[in-house]
Amino acid sequence: MNGGAGAPSAVRCVMGVSDVCGLWLRLSGPEEQRLLQLLSYGLVALGAGSAVLLRFIHMPYGRYSSRRFGWLLPARPAWALQELPSLLVPIWLAACGGAVSAAWPNRILLGCFIVHYVQRALIFPLLIREGKPTPFFTFVLALLFCVYNGYLQGRSLSNYAKYPSGWLKDPCFITGFMGWLIGMAINIHSDHILRNLRKPGETGYKIPRGGMFEYVSGANFFGEILEWFGFALACCTIESLAFALCTLFILGSRAKQHHQWYLEKFEDYPKNRKIVIPFVY
């Protein structure tokens, strides 16, 4: 009897999912494709505007966290929740299907995006050790950004990005994929170094050493910038390039703030280290 009573609810749930997926099907077309292009330009403008703003203020999270930007949220749940849309939105779009969602290049490229956010939304928060609380305003901005970009990349790769049959063997894809993979490895390794700077019970900050930190102050940022430019090369879409440029603007600015902070705080900070791009900047 219980199974029979629950059946109508299950049917309604399936019908609801079908209706939402049907909506995406109806939205598909030149108008939505144009919208994705406009959103891409907006993403670049957002990154450039943030870079200008960050010349005057510190991005309020981590070591720069402040109550001036709203009440403070615990670091772990705040980070997980704000990053989650970049994981769930593309998965939802891929599950609903699209004109090109079944093509192997699209599956692999969307998989790269999803793998990154599995690490950032599900794994990384669990590894945080007594992280600084996140101001509510910063949390909301990050959440909205992840919804925005999750839709942008997910919809592009599931419905519009078309590749030739030999794309997975193309030098652009191979080079870009390797850049994505190496960048993600650098990002994860650099985060590992930062987490283990202090022993249990210690407080205060230390100079990070090892890995790419021997070359730049923002080694974790360099890894993520390399990752998304590799992704953009492998995708060859305006949406992925816009994300890479936005990442460069925002993380490059944050890396500069970190670099200046290290120089002011530590007299023995290595003067030969660059800010975020080894040997260049």
Side-chain angles (χ1 to χ4, degrees):
M1 293 296 291
N2 289 339
S9 297
V11 170
R12 286 194 297 270
C13 181
V14 171
M15 291 179 63
V17 171
S18 177
D19 289 343
V20 173
C21 289
L23 173 63
W24 288 117
L25 182 63
R26 292 191 295 274
L27 287 175
S28 178
E31 290 186 358
E32 188 190 25
Q33 194 166 13
R34 177 59 178 165
L35 173 63
L36 292 179
Q37 292 177 348
L38 292 175
L39 290 175
S40 298
Y41 300 144
L43 195 61
V44 176
L46 175 65
S50 298
V52 173
L53 183 63
L54 291 173
R55 292 179 63 88
F56 305 100
I57 64 171
H58 291 302
M59 189 177 292
Y61 73 91
R63 69 188 61 174
Y64 311 117
S65 182
S66 171
R67 291 184 179 275
R68 291 183 301 168
F69 295 90
W71 67 86
L72 301 179
L73 306 175
R76 286 182 176 178
W79 188 277
L81 290 174
Q82 73 187 28
E83 299 289 312
L84 206 53
S86 283
L87 173 62
L88 298 182
V89 172
I91 289 177
W92 177 265
L93 293 171
C96 284
V100 294
S101 61
W104 274 109
N106 301 70
R107 288 183 178 184
I108 292 173
L109 290 167
L110 192 54
C112 289
F113 188 82
I114 289 171
V115 164
H116 172 89
Y117 281 102
V118 166
Q119 200 279 329
R120 298 305 282 178
L122 303 182
I123 299 174
F124 178 79
L126 296 177
L127 300 175
I128 294 175
R129 297 182 177 179
E130 300 179 1
K132 292 291 183 67
T134 301
F136 182 74
F137 178 71
T138 307
F139 166 78
V140 170
L141 288 182
L143 180 71
L144 293 175
F145 177 86
C146 287
V147 172
Y148 185 132
N149 193 50
Y151 164 70
L152 190 62
Q153 307 306 323
R155 192 62 171 160
S156 170
L157 289 171
S158 66
N159 205 60
Y160 296 105
K162 297 180 179 179
Y163 299 98
S165 58
W167 183 248
L168 296 181
K169 298 179 181 179
D170 190 278
C172 281
F173 173 83
I174 295 172
T175 304
F177 179 79
M178 292 304 298
W180 171 84
L181 189 62
I182 293 170
M184 186 171 182
I186 291 172
N187 180 246
I188 292 173
H189 180 249
S190 300
D191 283 339
H192 172 76
I193 291 174
L194 290 174
R195 277 195 304 271
N196 290 278
L197 282 177
R198 291 191 293 264
K199 296 179 181 179
E202 288 185 335
T203 58
Y205 289 92
K206 295 183 179 181
I207 298 174
R209 301 187 186 277
M212 291 304 299
F213 281 110
E214 296 300 319
Y215 303 96
V216 293
S217 296
N220 51 333
F221 302 136
F222 167 68
E224 192 159 351
I225 290 168
L226 175 60
E227 183 181 356
W228 293 124
F229 271 95
F231 180 75
L233 182 60
C235 290
C236 282
T237 62
I238 186 173
E239 293 85 2
S240 59
L241 177 60
F243 182 32
L245 289 172
C246 183
T247 300
L248 175 64
F249 285 134
I250 294 176
L251 295 189
S253 299
R254 183 146 175 101
K256 185 175 181 180
Q257 291 177 347
H258 277 19
H259 185 74
Q260 293 173 336
W261 183 88
Y262 280 127
L263 289 173
E264 293 170 3
K265 188 172 183 64
F266 299 102
E267 294 183 359
D268 59 339
Y269 191 74
K271 300 299 188 291
N272 61 325
R273 286 190 192 180
K274 296 297 184 180
I275 296 173
V276 70
I277 307 296
F279 312 112
V280 178
Y281 173 74

